[in-house]
Structures are given as C-alpha cells and as structure tokens.
Amino acid sequence: MMEFKTGIFTVAVLAIVLSSPAVAQKPKSPPAPSATILPPAPAPAPAPHHVDLADLLSVAGPFHTFLDYLQKTNVIETFQNQANDTKNGITIFVPKDSAFAALKKTTFANLTQDQLKSLLLYHAFPKYYSLAEFDKLSTLNPVTTFAGSQYTLNLTYNMGTIQVKSMWSNPKISSSVYSTRPVAVYEVNKVLLPMQIFKSDPPLAPAPAPAPDAKASDVAPSPTSGKSASAKTKAAEKSSSYQVGAGVAHYLALAIAGALMLLC
C-alpha cells in the first residue's frame, strides 16, 4: 500500500512539472539569417583595340615611301607605342608618294640618320586631334611636333580647309585616312620641310621630258611626197591624153582608108 502511494505521488509530481509553462514551452531559437544574394561580378573590360600603323599605311593610299622610311629608321615603333597610348594618342601627317617624287632624290639621300628621324617625327603630334579640333588648335600656333620643341608647325583653318605650314612647304590636309581616338592619320599633298634640317628650299625634281612629237610623215604628207604625188598625177593625165589621142588617130586612119576603097 505504501509503494502504491509513493508511485501515485511520483506521477503527480511529474504531471505538475510537465504542465508548468517553463517546461511545456521551450524557448524558440532565433531564426537563421537569410542567405545574402550577391550581384553577379561585372564582366572584365575588353582589351583596347590597337591600330597597326604599318598595316594601315600599307593598304591605305600610296604611302609606300613614307612607310619605307619609317621602317628603316624604326620610327614606326615610336609612332606605334604612342598610338597604343589611349590617353594621349597620336596625329600623323602622311605625304603621298607623289609628294616625295616631286623633290630631288638627293634631298633625302644626303640626310644623316638622325636628320631623317627628326624629319619623320616632324610629321606627327604626340596627341590625338580630330579634324574639328584643328580650328581651336590653330589659335595656339606654333604647335610642337613629335620631333621636339624646336620643330613646330603653324596651322590654318579656313572653312574646313586645313593647312599645315612648315618653313619650306605649306601642304593641306587632302583627306582623312583614319580618325578614331586615339589615332588620327591625315593625308597631305607635300612633304613637311623644317628649317632645322633644310637651310634653303630643297630643289624640285626635274620635270619629266615631254613625249616625242609624232613624225610629220605620220600625220601629214611631206612637201616631197606632195610633189611626188603631183608628178604622178600629171604623168597619169598625160598618159590618159596620149591614149585618147592615139585612139582618135586610129579611127581617123580607118575612116580615110574606107573612103579611098569606095572611090576606087
């Protein structure tokens, strides 16, 4: 009986303990933080496009002489490195082959290697300029070239016509070969000639010899041939007259002979 009471008491205590709020409701654990969704990483910037100046000059226009000088002096590498500088860029004035041909060959053959390099560097600005920017740039004359502070150019801008003046030449920009930042290449119709290299105006190449005139006999009869033709004509006329006269005399002879036979 005692054991039964003890069991009932134990059950009652457990019931009271389990029914208390502290035991019945377990404390809730804090909610797990939600996963943070990060935005996708931006795509890497594309590598800048670099213009290959040697390829450009070899296919655009007749610039073979200028390109040949650039490659022989390694100035093409200087220009290319500047062209790859997307911050400053480069502006190049490229003479056509005919511009070099217009000058005497000794004009460039007598230059030292350093003079030739300076001459080529003189044909570029170490900065990109669009055609529209030359209007403002012309107000800043003289403009320093790639050859250094002593080698300057004076620009004129007149209603879209741009001229690039050196000491001994004043060419105009005849066309835009390529103009996309950071590279501008403009065609000029003359070679730029600085006084630091040329103390006097370089001589022009001799004018080509005129084509030989067509021979007189090829286009008109010569006086001799005219006389010969006239003589032949007169001879033919005489021969024809002679033949006519001989024919008339023959018929007259036949007529007289027939009359004599009738009389007999």
Side-chain angles (χ1 to χ4, degrees), residues 165-228:
K165 183 176 177 58
S166 63
M167 181 64 187
W168 303 114
S169 62
N170 187 25
K172 69 176 181 178
I173 295 179
S174 51
S175 68
S176 174
V177 179
Y178 184 91
S179 182
T180 301
R181 192 176 297 275
V183 177
V185 178
Y186 302 121
E187 178 186 298
V188 290
N189 60 346
K190 292 181 182 179
V191 180
L192 297 170
L193 303 169
M195 64 178 180
Q196 289 82 358
I197 297 176
F198 303 99
K199 303 305 179 184
S200 60
D201 192 359
L204 298 177
D213 295 333
K215 295 180 180 179
S217 59
D218 294 339
V219 295
S222 64
T224 304
S225 63
K227 291 180 180 179
S228 177

